[in-house]
Amino acid sequence: MSEIARLEALEILDSRGNPTLAVTATLSNGIAATAKVPSGASTGRREAVELRDGDRSRYGGKGVLKAKRHVEGAIQSALCGFDANDQKGLDKTLCALDGTSNKGRLGANAILGVSLAVAHAAAKDHGRPLYATLVDKPANLLPTPGLNVLNGGKHADSNVDFQEFMISPVGLPSFREALRASAEVFHALQTVLHKRGYGTGVGDEGGFAPQLKSNEEPVELILEAIQKAGYKPGKDIVIMLDPAASEFFDEGSYVFAKSDKSKKAPAEMIALWKSWLKKYPEIWSLEDGMAEDDHQGWQSITKELGNQIQLVGDDNFVTNPEIFREGIKNGIANAILIKLNQIGTVTETLDCIQMARANGYGAVVSHRSGETDDTSIADLAVAAGMGQIKTGSACRGERIAKYNRLLEIERELGPKARYAGASIFERWKRPVKA
Ligand code: PGA
Ligand code: ZN
């Protein structure tokens, strides 16, 4: 049995230049591993609390020295000598030590850093990769990626209200080939944008963030880029959207402040999505198409469109098993977005994935808009075996690190490796354009 001997935290920077934590767990046999904590911008209201110092003389109040002290103080004291292989027991102890329902006392950033660093250390201790130790039955399914190639909303300074326009290479035979095709489309998109005189600077997740004229224009440009790269939209490569609707929901209406300044009632918002699905059969997945506080809207869209398309809940479920259970009961969405730092422990994250599987929901493992070079989510996506990941565009080191890790895992699995491809979307049978 290897025990936890030491926990250290370092205040580092994330991809936006904001402070976050790197936590190193050292075991009694000297084995050590580090995990780095991500950070969101379009956060769900009920996410676990990311503890920030609030001292405006440092990083505008965003420092994480309090969280660092919690790791090295209270958490280290409680966990010194704890069995590093007992992830469930460890995470339960962390939750109990915090004592709040939202991890607001010690901070979800402190707690996740520890939970994940110990998971890594335990894997290392066994001489096995993380994807093989996170779950009892190691999976061999490489996830179909969703690459966010055009950024809008809160992730870009543009006229687009919707946050993420992703390409998903469902029709390629392997992860390796899927990533290649995606990078080719990304580069084709750059040419398409250039040709129209648009800027090709990138947003937080590595997608282009040009000053486009409407919310629909990104879809048109992506379809053009897919074809230009030599692929068939709706067959080889499909589109996934994350408008992050909570960000433009105000007093019961959806307000398009960045594009045409229109205001839509929930029923009109659903009608808009319906028209988009009809016009663009290449769209296979819609995340946060309704706002987290619009329960009725969510129920209606699930009833009306849930048999046509994957509807992913992110801001509304916040990777919280209790909240997710309630959502399932209320007929909301048919898939969940999985973000470790929304809930703060490895165990609760795996619980959500298990709950999704048991209830016929999809599960998409996800990065945050503020990331580091940590690649844990690549391993988590393979361990989860649910066949989906979204971790940004084919650009920016912190996004590419995850894709590159998946390439390594694919090689390591060898002939056993399977690529999820279109299999996860089979139940929806989106129409194919002639
Ligand atoms: P966030 O964005 O990390 O800023 O929350 C990602 C998402 O909404 O899926
Ligand atoms: Zn989202």
Side-chain angles (χ1 to χ4, degrees):
M1 186 178 100
S2 299
E3 297 164 354
I4 297 169
R6 199 165 66 247
L7 294 171
E8 288 160 296
L10 184 66
E11 184 185 59
I12 61 166
L13 295 184
D14 70 15
S15 53
R16 278 193 278 252
N18 292 324
T20 188
L21 281 185
V23 174
T24 301
T26 306
L27 307 184
S28 46
N29 56 10
I31 281 177
T34 300
K36 297 170 189 170
V37 178
S39 173
S42 63
T43 49
R45 204 170 31 79
R46 294 196 284 177
E47 289 194 21
V49 174
E50 184 178 71
L51 190 66
R52 301 257 175 212
D53 297 338
D55 168 4
R56 300 208 63 86
S57 69
R58 297 184 73 253
Y59 291 118
K62 288 187 173 164
V64 291
L65 295 179
K66 276 186 196 162
K68 169 186 157 69
R69 281 195 288 275
H70 288 157
V71 171
E72 295 177 346
I75 297 178
Q76 175 165 235
S77 306
L79 293 183
C80 209
F82 204 94
D83 178 4
N85 293 303
D86 179 10
Q87 186 77 42
K88 275 193 187 135
L90 174 100
D91 290 338
K92 215 169 151 188
T93 305
L94 282 166
C95 290
L97 188 65
D98 176 78
T100 69
S101 60
N102 61 8
K103 302 186 177 65
R105 195 176 77 81
L106 297 171
N109 40 356
I111 292 173
L112 177 63
V114 171
S115 178
L116 201 51
V118 174
H120 275 283
K124 217 167 166 183
D125 190 25
H126 288 283
R128 299 182 68 199
L130 184 65
Y131 66 85
T133 55
L134 276 177
V135 289
D136 294 335
K137 265 203 246 142
N140 56 5
L141 190 64
L142 269 295
T144 307
L147 293 95
N148 181 9
V149 291
L150 266 175
N151 296 185
K154 235 188 179 175
H155 291 172
D157 186 16
S158 72
N159 306 325
V160 179
D161 295 287
F162 302 161
Q163 181 176 283
E164 303 179 13
F165 296 82
M166 291 170 272
I167 51 168
S168 188
V170 297
L172 280 291
S174 64
F175 180 78
R176 189 170 65 243
E177 291 298 291
L179 191 61
R180 177 181 59 76
S182 305
E184 289 168 5
V185 173
F186 177 66
H187 294 134
L189 181 59
Q190 186 169 31
T191 309
V192 168
L193 291 170
H194 259 310
K195 220 175 56 195
R196 285 181 167 69
Y198 285 131
T200 51
V202 296
D204 288 354
E205 299 190 345
F208 298 115
Q211 286 290 350
L212 302 180
K213 298 181 197 75
S214 69
N215 290 332
E216 258 180 75
E217 202 180 1
V219 179
E220 299 285 351
L221 295 170
I222 288 173
L223 290 175
E224 188 180 331
I226 295 172
Q227 273 168 320
K228 194 174 163 49
Y231 297 98
K232 189 166 168 26
K235 185 170 175 283
D236 302 320
I237 300 189
V238 301
I239 294 179
M240 303 172 75
L241 301 175
D242 177 8
S246 309
E247 300 299 325
F248 51 88
F249 188 62
D250 190 29
E251 294 181 4
S253 306
Y254 293 88
V255 184
F256 289 5
K258 295 182 105 184
S259 59
D260 64 5
K261 319 288 176 223
S262 67
K263 206 169 163 178
K264 291 182 169 48
E268 292 171 307
M269 193 69 217
I270 296 174
L272 179 86
W273 292 133
K274 263 191 183 160
S275 71
W276 275 44
L277 294 194
K278 210 161 162 201
K279 187 165 175 194
Y280 303 115
E282 300 86 0
I283 297 174
W284 282 23
S285 179
L286 175 63
E287 174 184 332
D288 284 356
M290 306 305 281
E292 63 178 303
D293 292 324
D294 186 6
H295 300 285
Q296 241 186 329
W298 255 114
Q299 277 182 322
S300 307
I301 196 174
T302 308
K303 258 198 212 117
E304 293 185 48
L305 298 178
N307 59 354
Q308 287 182 43
I309 188 173
Q310 172 170 262
L311 297 170
V312 187
D314 170 12
D315 284 352
N316 52 350
F317 294 152
V318 291
T319 318
N320 182 316
E322 274 171 44
I323 296 174
F324 183 33
R325 184 177 296 120
E326 200 60 26
I328 294 172
K329 222 168 61 194
N330 291 326
I332 285 176
N334 54 32
I336 179 174
L337 202 76
I338 299 292
K339 290 167 166 168
L340 283 154
N341 82 321
Q342 277 184 328
I343 186 68
T345 66
V346 170
T347 303
E348 289 163 288
T349 304
L350 291 171
D351 285 349
C352 273
I353 292 168
Q354 190 39 43
M355 203 178 284
R357 182 179 283 117
N359 287 281
Y361 274 56
V364 185
V365 172
S366 170
H367 64 161
R368 296 311 303 251
S369 50
E371 269 292 338
T372 69
D373 56 347
D374 187 288
T375 58
S376 309
I377 60 164
D379 284 71
L380 175 65
V382 175
M386 298 293 277
Q388 289 190 82
I389 192 168
K390 69 163 197 178
T391 183
S393 179
C395 169
R396 291 188 65 131
E398 76 280 3
R399 317 290 149 185
I400 294 300
K402 281 74 161 169
Y403 293 125
N404 285 347
R405 172 67 187 142
L406 286 165
L407 289 173
E408 284 174 6
I409 296 176
E410 184 181 46
R411 183 186 59 186
E412 216 165 270
L413 288 171
K416 272 195 311 202
R418 285 194 303 121
Y419 174 56
S423 63
I424 34 179
F425 295 104
E426 246 152 38
R427 52 194 266 219
W428 290 293
K429 298 252 180 290
R430 296 286 295 137
V432 182
K433 245 190 217 159

